[in-house]
Amino acid sequence: MTSEIEARTLRRITWRIAPFIMLLYFIAYIDRVNIGFASLTMNKDLGFKPGIFGFGAGIFFWGYFLFEVPSNIVLDKVGARLWIARVMVTWGIVSAAMAFVWNDTSFYVLRFLLGAAEAGFFPGIILYLSYWFPAQRRAAVTSLFMAAAPISVVLGSPLSSALLELNGFGGLKGWQWMFILEAIPAVILGFVVLGYMTDKPEKAKWLKDDEREWLVATMEAERAGKAAVAHHSIWRGLADIRVLALALVYFGTSAGLYTLGIWAPQIIKGFGLSNMAVGFLNAIPPTVAVVAMYLWSWDSDRRNERTWHVVIACVVAATGLMLAGVAGSVVAVVAALTLVNVGISAAKPPLWSMPTLFLSGPAAATGIAAINSIGNLGGFVGPSVIGWVKDTTGSFVGGLYFVAGLLVFSAVLTLILARVARKNAVTPAVSAPH
């Protein structure tokens, strides 16, 4: 009977929650990285060199870094429904304002404000999933949520390219129309969140009574199990050495992810293609990554293994970046970028399944936010270094190799963390492979 209720409950909450949070992240990721497509024409219009563009694109993550932890603490206090709605409306407004940048300073300021506005969304959803899904099912549902990032590139690349063709319509440039039109859904969905999202299982009127009772009991038992072995104050989440280690692992994956989102269109454009051709070719790697991410996460849950699923994926991504640096044709560079997409996308769900296995409550809110805010600084370092190297050498190669090195560091650090955890028998989150 319990097994039947479990299957029915998990199926119902998955269908209720997963598609909706995927839609929210889909919009978030488009607004975060559409700057890569804007650069195809915006940089010339505003006179931005690669160094200026790379720094401005990456400064988004300093806003993230400074406001992420406070944002997630507020979310844990007031509930996901109100706070996620606030996040979406404010980031939509700032994203639309990007259409009116006129120089490098305004570019830097608005990118920083966009990061501050969006701070709390991603770690907030990760925390939200820990309220609803038992630990052994979390990697799979996290992979569904995170699949929205590559899907947004698949669909957003041709869309952004098409919007660039509105150049001159209504007296605005194509990149200005792109920022405005792609920001509107965030504002609309912010209000939808208020009516659709449910903060906790106890409030889920859309569950049957026996389903709600089973889920509440299961999640309370899980929290009690963690509370029996550790204290979970706000400071616990910030002070845990495993949080810092996972943040550094995430740093490398973020550098790789945003190198793709921000620079891949220009890397492909370097082969002399039209903007529309760039849009369609840029959609190929994440199409493959969506499938790979889900299968890899499913295997991670099936084996109850996280460490090697992160390590192998990081190595694959690093290999792809090095190959992209020496690719001599469009086909070769798209194949290399596919490897990068697959590796980075596959690494993230098992990585994000780790912190909620040893943290709960306020500590989980701060720990997850700390991992995301510190780790996402890789999104500043990677694109900025690539822009600086491109300015200095006229080539992307050195920057791509640098980001590949960060991913190798992530893989090595994950293995070290696993070894320490195995030795001390502290947490199953980074246990040895079965």
Side-chain angles (χ1 to χ4, degrees):
M1 179 65 71
T2 301
S3 178
E4 188 272 333
I5 293 175
E6 176 181 0
R8 174 159 40 92
T9 304
L10 291 173
R11 182 167 58 249
R12 191 182 299 273
I13 62 174
T14 299
W15 278 106
R16 168 82 182 195
I17 293 174
F20 187 65
I21 62 173
M22 286 179 70
L23 176 61
L24 300 186
Y25 193 35
F26 175 90
I27 298 301
Y29 198 77
I30 284 181
D31 287 345
R32 188 182 301 181
V33 302
N34 59 8
I35 192 72
F37 274 93
S39 70
L40 298 179
T41 56
M42 180 187 73
N43 286 4
K44 182 179 180 181
D45 290 340
L46 300 180
F48 289 171
K49 294 182 178 180
I52 292 174
F53 173 72
F55 181 84
I59 203 172
F60 169 98
F61 296 101
W62 280 104
Y64 232 70
F65 174 74
L66 294 174
F67 292 96
E68 195 89 322
V69 172
S71 181
N72 233 32
I73 292 173
V74 174
L75 182 146
D76 190 55
K77 298 292 185 182
V78 306
R81 186 178 67 89
L82 285 175
W83 199 243
I84 295 298
R86 193 284 306 164
V87 167
M88 296 196 68
V89 171
T90 52
W91 104 50
I93 293 171
V94 176
S95 185
M98 284 290 299
F100 304 104
V101 299
W102 66 92
N103 60 12
D104 52 352
T105 301
S106 62
F107 180 46
Y108 297 157
V109 169
L110 281 174
R111 284 294 291 180
F112 176 86
L113 291 177
L114 183 62
E118 196 178 320
F121 173 76
F122 182 88
I125 295 296
I126 296 295
L127 180 64
Y128 183 69
L129 294 178
S130 74
Y131 299 155
W132 290 89
F133 293 90
Q136 71 272 19
R137 299 296 295 267
R138 214 166 285 153
V141 73
T142 302
S143 75
L144 290 175
F145 166 56
M146 298 188 70
I151 291 173
S152 73
V153 179
V154 172
L155 301 180
S157 293
L159 173 63
S160 297
S161 297
L163 292 176
L164 291 179
E165 301 302 314
L166 293 176
N167 196 47
F169 181 76
L172 296 177
K173 302 288 188 180
W175 58 269
Q176 292 178 302
W177 278 115
M178 186 201 71
F179 281 128
I180 294 170
L181 295 177
E182 291 185 347
I184 292 173
V187 177
I188 295 173
L189 284 170
F191 290 100
V192 173
V193 165
L194 291 173
Y196 187 86
M197 187 173 275
T198 307
D199 285 328
K200 297 286 182 70
E202 293 86 342
K203 299 179 180 180
K205 296 180 180 180
W206 42 269
L207 286 174
K208 295 181 179 179
D209 290 342
D210 59 342
E211 295 171 343
R212 185 167 53 252
E213 291 169 4
W214 175 86
L215 183 59
V216 169
T218 298
M219 301 312 295
E220 286 182 349
E222 188 173 288
R223 285 191 292 271
K226 285 181 283 188
V229 298
H231 299 291
H232 297 293
S233 67
I234 287 175
W235 299 111
R236 169 79 183 187
L238 294 175
D240 197 307
I241 190 65
R242 294 167 293 185
V243 169
L244 177 59
L246 289 174
L248 293 176
V249 173
Y250 195 53
F251 185 96
T253 64
S254 294
L257 178 67
Y258 293 105
T259 290
L260 286 174
I262 292 169
W263 286 108
Q266 289 196 48
I267 293 172
I268 297 172
K269 177 77 171 178
F271 289 91
L273 303 173
S274 69
N275 290 339
M276 284 302 297
V278 171
F280 283 106
L281 287 175
N282 195 56
I284 294 174
T287 302
V288 179
V290 170
V291 179
M293 172 191 281
Y294 185 77
L295 293 176
W296 197 242
S297 301
W298 174 82
D299 187 69
S300 177
D301 275 350
R302 182 177 67 87
R303 297 174 184 271
N304 193 29
E305 200 288 314
R306 309 303 185 200
T307 299
W308 285 101
H309 282 80
V310 174
V311 170
I312 294 171
C314 286
V315 171
V316 167
T319 302
L321 282 168
M322 290 186 287
L323 292 174
V326 298
S329 68
V330 173
V331 173
V333 81
V334 170
L337 293 175
T338 299
L339 277 180
V340 183
N341 270 271
V342 166
I344 290 172
S345 297
K348 288 179 176 288
L351 174 60
W352 278 114
S353 297
M354 294 179 179
T356 53
L357 289 176
F358 59 85
L359 295 173
S360 65
T366 55
I368 291 169
I371 292 168
N372 198 53
S373 60
I374 296 171
N376 263 322
L377 288 179
F380 168 76
V381 172
S384 298
V385 168
I386 287 179
W388 175 77
V389 171
K390 183 70 163 61
D391 262 348
T392 305
T393 68
S395 170
F396 288 107
V397 175
L400 292 174
Y401 283 6
F402 171 77
V403 177
L406 293 178
L407 280 159
V408 171
F409 172 76
S410 293
V412 172
L413 184 56
T414 303
L415 287 173
I416 294 172
L417 184 59
R419 182 170 183 174
V420 171
R422 185 170 62 246
K423 181 179 179 180
N424 296 331
V426 173
T427 172
V430 285
S431 59
H434 298 295

